[in-house]
Amino acid sequence: LSDHPTKAAKEQGVGARLLRKEDARHLQGKGNFIGNMSMPNISEVAFLRSPLAHARIAATRVAQEAENVFLRDSLTGVLDIVADSTLPSYQVSAMPPLAHGKVRYVGEPVAMAFAPTRAQAEDLTELIEVDYDDLPVYVDVASAAAATSDLIHDEWKDNVFVSLSADKDFDKLAAQADVVVTRKMNLSRQCMLPMEGMAVLAYWDHQADQLVVYASTQVPHLIRTGIAQFLQMDQEQVRVISPDVGGGFGYKCVLQREELCVAWLAKTYKRPFRYLEDRREHLIAGANTREHHYEMTAYADRKGRLLALDAKITINGGAYSVWPFTTGLETGQALGNLPGPYAFQGYRCTTRCVATNKPAFLPYRGVARTGVCFAMELTMDALAREVGREPWEVRLENLVQPEQMPYVNVTNKHFDSGDYPASLRRALEMIDAQGVRERQQHAEPDGRLIGLGVATYTEQSAHGTSVFAAWGTPVIPGFDQAAVRMTPDGGLEIKVGVHSHGQGMETTFAQIANEILGVDVARIRLVHGDTGRTPYSTGTYASRSLVMSGGAVSRACKQLLPNLQKIAGHLMGADSWLVQFENGMAIAGDKSIPLAQVANAWYLNPQLLPADVDPAGLEVSVGYKPKVDTGSFSYCSQAAIVAVDPGTGSVEILDYVVVEDCGTMINPMVVEGQAIGGIAQGIGTALYEETPYDEYGQPLASTLADYVMPGATEVPNIRFDHFETPSPHTEFGAKGVGEGGAIAPPAVIFGAVNDALRGLGVEVSQTPLTPHRLLEALAQGREA
Ligand code: MCN
Ligand code: SMO
């Protein structure tokens, strides 16, 4: 029962590569998604959405025959969704459940209708006429930030949500530099596209006298808080259940106005209503993310050792701040995480999030770290070029060294443990960097150009209370709870408030319990994502579930031990301190009895119990908080080889390696699956995915024919190595890993493409690198 068991110490415990329990139901099509629920007398909901990006609503007319049609004014008792922040520069945006007075992006819901079928509900929305008076449209951050009239939010002083800045020893250290390198990088706006879009079904439970909301969400307790707050109800009057969720990725960690509207219908009519976002709605109005702009200047010595960094970051925040995270999250995280895994000491950075006439910006897997890694790593590549060294040599010069751990960096990030340079060296070895350099000496037979890219990043996970508070979001705590109960037959029920929607927690949390209590993983049931049945938790995001909630499961299981040992010892006639649990058995020396017999004594044969047994029995609920509040830092080096076709502009990824360290792995297979999924998404960001807008703010990719995602043929076979440096602060020494994969691919792939194009004097730095963009860059390079 040590805190740091060795790998595969137990067949099913911590470190075992167990197949995921939850996969069987999904592979057999037996998942329980909101889209396939049925309920008697259910009505389907549709929204009328704005055709314009910025306009005043001059008049609305509802045809006389239109029933069950709603505008903002008809939603009595509903407050606007207001996501407040404690950041001093923050301007608050009120997001009405349905647009009111004006519309701020194409696709904004203006009216709502319900009917027995979705098609009928959509027909009803056609009976609403809206007159709009055009306003100037702000698509890009420059025009939005420059505007002084016709602002997106009338009461604001300018179109800037929030701006933050940092300056640490910048002037002093920059002045010592021999080399100065300046670059600009841009990440385009994109979507998230979980397989299942937004989905919500709400009804009134007359027996419990409660509003029950099924939501496809990562954060059921937060959604309950939001719904109760904005519908002005008591929290205990609302129960939120998150059933199977077809992917979250950040899109589902916020309260959506459609969710609030459907909840209001159920509260008002006391019967079931459902809304399912369709793909077009999702692409136009849903999950917008990633649009970052960087101006970077690095100051270094002749070897490429970074002395200081100057950065200006602008984020296109769209029209509204989402509840509860606000635009402060992305802005604050960009400012604090830009320095990445490097040890330089001079830093000056300003970060602004600008409001535009696009849908609200949402957190997406990796959050700001994908952008800052892209900017930082391309700066490293440029610096390496400037000083005439290999890109990895310059990185090795700058990475925090293992003997410096624990290390506090220039933005006060507390790196807990690890060997960053070793992970990069291992990645270079795996990808055979020297071999690539030799290969590059000779022309490829097909005329393509070969390039090698590398990136190292940290993944701050399981952020504590103070970290979220610094981003202006005080509602997020750095702790979590779990309840554990042994069943009368020796199985186990674990209840957690987080939600597993692909992360495999039904398996990994069972592995934690197995490690401590020896219960067969097949006999452990995880109850999650239901405010009516689980302890409170703000939910699953920020790679926090394993460290926080898994930590709580570990503590709860440990707290169950003394009573289990006492009862088992008593039944076996052995000292309780001798009793251990393995493979479903209680063992003391050469004596053993099944756990089921111990549980049976507690529940069904109390006359067999020792007199001093704790009446809390085989059931505990505990809270858990890591030893520090600053988060645990996973880190990772990724490297790739690409082949660039200068004739067609296509980029093929020939090899991709990952050397990651998330501390002790609970299940290495799940860790690899998490990384692969993230990398697939990162490849999308790098090469394919984009939500373009025209000058009128009209979205130009509203179907999957226009919005290109990577498929199986675009995602290469990814090769892994793992380091396991335990965190000193967490149960089992585990650190979070869920977002990491998505952080580095744009940096790695652009680094590789730029390496391939080196001889042509061309550098690319705008995602996604479509063939069109690449050919354009090549043409410009030839002109220059
Ligand atoms: N794990 C492990 N050993 C470690 C770390 C993690 O075995 N040292 C396992 C955990 O037990 C868990 C999984 O890996 O089963 C992810 O754990 P964690 O890093 O704690 O991340 P969360 O569970 O909090 O998941 C959130 C994270 C985020 S923020 C996004 S975004 C994302 C991601 O997870 N969205 C996902 N991965 C996703 N995967 C799927 N399939 N679908 C999403 O929507
Ligand atoms: S974007 Mo993940 O839900 O933190």
Side-chain angles (χ1 to χ4, degrees), residues 249 364-365 672-682 718 741-742:
F249 308 119
Y364 178 42
R365 201 171 193 174
E672 288 170 9
Q674 285 293 301
I676 291 169
I679 289 167
Q681 290 174 300
I718 292 159

Side-chain angles (χ1 to χ4, degrees), residues 139-155:
V139 177
D140 60 277
V141 286
S143 69
T148 51
S149 59
D150 294 317
L151 299 179
I152 293 172
H153 296 279
D154 293 340
E155 64 287 3

Side-chain angles (χ1 to χ4, degrees), residues 357-381:
N357 293 116
K358 294 179 179 177
F361 191 103
L362 293 158
Y364 178 42
R365 201 171 193 174
V367 192
R369 288 159 295 182
T370 304
V372 297
C373 177
F374 184 65
M376 193 66 221
E377 294 297 286
L378 292 197
T379 303
M380 280 291 169
D381 289 341

Side-chain angles (χ1 to χ4, degrees), residues 235-372:
Q235 298 248 347
E236 48 77 29
Q237 270 198 304
V238 184
R239 175 178 174 193
V240 176
I241 303 169
S242 185
D244 274 326
V245 165
F249 308 119
Y251 183 41
K252 297 174 184 170
C253 71
V254 300
L255 176 69
Q256 300 284 357
R257 59 220 309 204
E258 290 89 343
E259 291 168 334
L260 189 64
C261 287
V262 170
W264 176 83
L265 285 171
K267 177 197 172 207
T268 306
Y269 290 89
K270 302 276 192 289
R271 55 190 180 81
F273 293 88
R274 169 168 54 191
Y275 166 70
L276 300 171
E277 177 187 63
D278 68 25
R279 197 53 77 188
R280 191 155 177 273
E281 288 178 304
H282 182 83
L283 283 163
I284 292 175
N288 275 227
T289 190
R290 286 283 189 263
E291 193 171 353
H292 284 207
H293 307 283
Y294 292 85
E295 291 176 49
M296 306 274 287
T297 306
Y299 297 81
D301 70 12
R302 272 186 199 88
K303 290 168 76 184
R305 196 169 59 89
L306 211 59
L307 299 166
L309 179 72
D310 182 28
K312 289 189 189 62
I313 308 176
T314 314
I315 297 164
N316 187 322
Y320 297 101
S321 242
V322 291
W323 190 93
F325 293 104
T326 80
T327 45
L329 170 70
E330 191 88 9
T331 317
Q333 197 173 88
L335 181 85
N337 287 46
L338 181 64
Y342 302 112
F344 62 91
Q345 294 296 318
Y347 186 51
R348 184 167 75 191
C349 180
T350 56
T351 309
R352 276 186 316 169
C353 184
V354 177
T356 59
N357 293 116
K358 294 179 179 177
F361 191 103
L362 293 158
Y364 178 42
R365 201 171 193 174
V367 192
R369 288 159 295 182
T370 304
V372 297

Side-chain angles (χ1 to χ4, degrees), residues 248-249 365 503 508 545-546 662 664 666-667 674 735 737-738:
F249 308 119
R365 201 171 193 174
Q503 291 90 348
T508 50
S545 303
L546 170 64
C662 59
T664 305
I666 306 304
N667 182 331
Q674 285 293 301
K735 311 180 187 184
V737 79

